[in-house]
Amino acid sequence: MDIYTSFAANLLFPLHEKLKKHSTTAVKLELERSQWLPAEQLRALQLARLREFLSDCAAHVPYYRDLFRALDFVPAEITAISDLARLPVLTKDVIRRDFDRLRSSAPEAVRLFSTTGSTGDPLRFNISKTRISRDVAAKWRATRWWDVDIGDREMVIWSSPIELTRQDRVKQVRDWLLRTRLLPSATMSPTDMDRFIAEICRFRPKMLFGYPSSMTLIAQRAEQQGVPLNQLGIKVAFCTAERLYPHQADVLQRVFGCPVANGYGGRDSGFIAHACPQGGMHITAEDIVVEIVDQQGRPVPAGVPGDVVVTHLYSSCFPFVRYRNGDVAVLDDGQCACGRGLPLLKEIHGRSNDVLLAEDGSVVLAIAFAIVLRDMPGVNGFKLIQETLSFCRLQLVTDASFRPSASEQELRSTFRTRLGAGVRLDIEYVETIEAEASGKYRYVESKVSQQQVAQAGGCTS
Ligand SMILES: [Zn+2]
């Protein structure tokens, strides 16, 4: 660690957090110790915290006070994490409908946070300094797993459109002090990408942080143009905000000459999990209980895909208890070679609300197709567009190892099985998949009305 990084990580950033009245530095120290606890001890710690958190909810949050009473649920008496399953799943609709009753009456400063709604599903909720401190500290801990720290030169490749406000200018000064540079990559023309590549070469970051799709596009452009980026001393590429596909990880690793680390979470769910160098996707178990559940909200065992449901143990000001965040994932009951006792996620699939409608009107999760495409040799990207009930277009980005005749046959047969024998599938070969206006990439788009989907009811996978 160089002197400036040490100055930033030990003095500058802690001071910044203190001025913001965040307890981040103390929490980070606590998390760095607890990550090495044996799994059983971590579970005991989690259970104790869960009891305390739910008791807070019962005392100060009208929605939970009434719910617990109706269910005869006494937080102080729970004896296992699995007791959580007695409570219903919290959906975005409930948060919108019962916003006022979900607010805690306890005296704590909160601010209203709104998710951007880039997926057409915006959400408003309150967030406290306690909760922010936990999430920032968890991210800081995971950063340090990769032999980098706050204050190391960091290039942030961010594809959301960014507007400069006064608040952002303050942030710019902070970023400059902490040696973070932003590449606003909302547009990705060849000229833009060449400029980004030149900036990366000039800045020589120790770490990259951003959307895997944008980073991959930049990496592919550099490779095409013959600009080497693997000797710049980049130690790690942190991916966030979108699903990371294996082919993207391969490209990033090859072009930047560094390992790729996936992070999973959001402002609504918190910092759920992060990859360690040994490959484990570690859950932030001190702060968040992750359950994987079926359509009825019942937990499914490790190894089985289901909906992600999170309980954020430091969200008392506006509790997230069994919050269904819209993703599908798989738990892993194994242990990581790194020795950390933190539990693991095995896989994180796309969003569970990415659905298609079959000819007979039943709902089909798009993940079924994503899994087939993911395992198909030579597929480097795809987008599935359902134009009508009987017509889908599949855009594919492929390389030389793609075998068109065998693969097309497999795809058509998968589509017919899932969507109906009469469904027409057009396969289009494209150079790149276009991003949405929000800068995010959407791999599934259904033009069949959402109302029809809602009327169809339950999902099958
Ligand atoms: Zn590990």
Side-chain angles (χ1 to χ4, degrees):
M1 194 188 281
D2 66 32
I3 292 172
Y4 191 84
T5 304
S6 168
F7 165 67
N10 296 314
L11 285 167
L12 210 52
F13 188 65
L15 177 66
H16 169 267
E17 289 296 289
K18 201 173 167 183
L19 289 173
K20 291 186 92 172
K21 298 195 167 62
H22 291 170
S23 53
T24 311
T25 311
V27 174
K28 189 263 248 168
L29 282 174
E30 175 199 316
L31 295 180
E32 294 220 306
R33 278 193 298 269
S34 56
Q35 63 182 334
W36 301 109
L37 290 174
E40 219 167 291
Q41 245 171 289
L42 271 164
R43 273 195 296 273
L45 194 139
Q46 200 181 43
L47 178 62
R49 178 61 212 157
L50 179 65
R51 249 187 237 124
E52 202 178 324
F53 163 66
L54 293 175
S55 300
D56 259 5
C57 298
H60 302 292
V61 181
Y63 178 86
Y64 283 104
R65 187 190 54 218
D66 297 347
L67 179 75
F68 293 171
R69 205 174 285 158
L71 294 173
D72 206 11
F73 181 90
V74 183
E77 289 174 4
I78 61 170
T79 54
I81 298 290
S82 56
D83 288 338
L84 258 183
R86 288 171 50 203
L87 301 175
V89 161
L90 178 68
T91 61
K92 290 179 184 175
D93 286 340
V94 174
I95 294 179
R96 287 187 196 109
R97 192 187 66 212
D98 283 313
F99 180 87
D100 287 328
R101 295 176 63 242
L102 279 162
R103 288 188 302 183
S104 169
S105 61
E108 187 182 15
V110 293
R111 72 182 176 90
L112 183 65
F113 189 83
S114 303
T115 58
T116 52
S118 58
T119 49
D121 208 13
L123 191 70
R124 286 182 331 134
F125 52 92
N126 283 339
I127 198 157
S128 67
K129 288 181 190 296
T130 308
R131 183 176 162 171
I132 295 173
S133 305
R134 300 299 304 195
D135 292 346
V136 175
K139 178 172 186 274
W140 191 1
R141 166 173 78 175
T143 302
R144 286 166 52 85
W145 292 346
W146 294 86
D147 196 26
V148 286
D149 207 332
I150 287 176
D152 275 321
R153 282 189 306 277
E154 176 188 41
M155 197 123 226
V156 175
I157 296 152
W158 208 247
S159 24
S160 289
I162 289 166
E163 290 165 48
L164 280 184
T165 61
R166 215 175 117 254
Q167 177 64 27
D168 289 331
R169 297 224 168 79
V170 174
K171 208 164 158 276
Q172 279 179 322
V173 174
R174 184 201 71 182
D175 287 352
W176 185 81
L177 284 170
L178 296 174
R179 299 201 289 189
T180 289
R181 297 289 183 277
L182 181 71
L183 288 183
S185 56
T187 59
M188 282 288 219
S189 71
T191 323
D192 291 327
M193 285 196 277
D194 290 342
R195 187 164 48 82
F196 297 154
I197 293 163
E199 284 186 40
I200 294 170
C201 291
R202 213 171 19 242
F203 186 55
R204 300 179 79 88
K206 277 259 179 75
M207 50 183 158
L208 304 173
F209 179 80
Y211 290 36
S213 54
S214 318
M215 285 201 274
T216 304
L217 287 173
I218 293 171
Q220 283 167 332
R221 174 75 183 173
E223 201 165 45
Q224 262 172 21
Q225 300 295 101
V227 184
L229 298 175
N230 58 357
Q231 302 297 324
L232 296 175
I234 301 173
K235 284 187 157 180
V236 57
F238 292 115
C239 291
T240 189
E242 289 174 342
R243 179 166 177 197
L244 169 67
Y245 287 87
H247 74 267
Q248 294 173 325
D250 291 346
V251 171
L252 295 174
Q253 193 162 350
R254 184 175 71 237
V255 174
F256 293 114
C258 69
V260 176
N262 196 18
Y264 174 51
R267 284 317 268 279
D268 50 352
S269 307
F271 193 82
I272 301 176
H274 204 279
C276 83
Q278 276 71 35
M281 191 74 191
H282 290 283
I283 294 171
T284 313
E286 297 94 334
D287 298 354
I288 294 174
V289 177
V290 177
E291 295 171 273
I292 303 297
V293 304
D294 63 16
Q295 289 294 314
Q296 282 71 44
R298 291 172 305 213
V300 298
V304 178
D307 287 350
V308 175
V309 160
V310 294
T311 299
H312 196 305
L313 301 174
Y314 291 86
S315 64
S316 326
C317 75
F318 194 100
F320 278 59
V321 180
R322 306 198 84 217
Y323 167 65
R324 194 196 292 266
N325 71 2
D327 292 329
V328 168
V330 183
L331 282 173
D332 183 346
D333 54 4
Q335 277 215 311
C336 184
C338 72
R340 290 181 182 87
L342 300 170
L344 302 168
L345 279 176
K346 194 179 199 151
E347 287 163 39
I348 303 157
H349 295 294
R351 302 188 67 78
S352 62
N353 56 3
D354 280 339
V355 296
L356 304 176
L357 215 52
E359 254 185 325
D360 64 3
S362 61
V363 173
V364 179
L365 292 184
I367 284 160
F369 302 101
I371 290 171
V372 174
L373 284 157
R374 184 191 65 188
D375 295 337
M376 194 166 267
V379 174
N380 289 341
F382 68 88
K383 180 164 185 170
L384 181 55
I385 304 144
Q386 179 163 40
E387 295 283 355
T388 66
L389 264 190
S390 56
F391 174 42
C392 287
R393 290 192 297 135
L394 177 63
Q395 299 181 327
L396 286 181
V397 182
T398 56
D399 63 28
S401 61
F402 184 73
R403 290 169 293 125
S405 56
S407 301
E408 284 192 11
Q409 202 179 355
E410 188 186 341
L411 286 168
R412 286 186 205 289
S413 125
T414 308
F415 271 75
R416 272 195 295 269
T417 314
R418 301 270 179 181
L419 295 179
V423 172
R424 187 178 118 206
L425 175 68
D426 282 7
I427 298 176
E428 302 162 7
Y429 294 93
V430 296
E431 289 286 313
T432 52
I433 303 290
E434 297 293 323
E436 302 278 298
S438 68
K440 279 203 186 192
Y441 284 78
R442 229 178 134 193
Y443 296 94
V444 178
E445 185 188 336
S446 180
K447 295 181 181 169
V448 177
S449 89
Q450 285 304 302
Q451 210 182 350
Q452 266 177 284
V453 173
Q455 277 161 5
C459 293
T460 56
S461 54

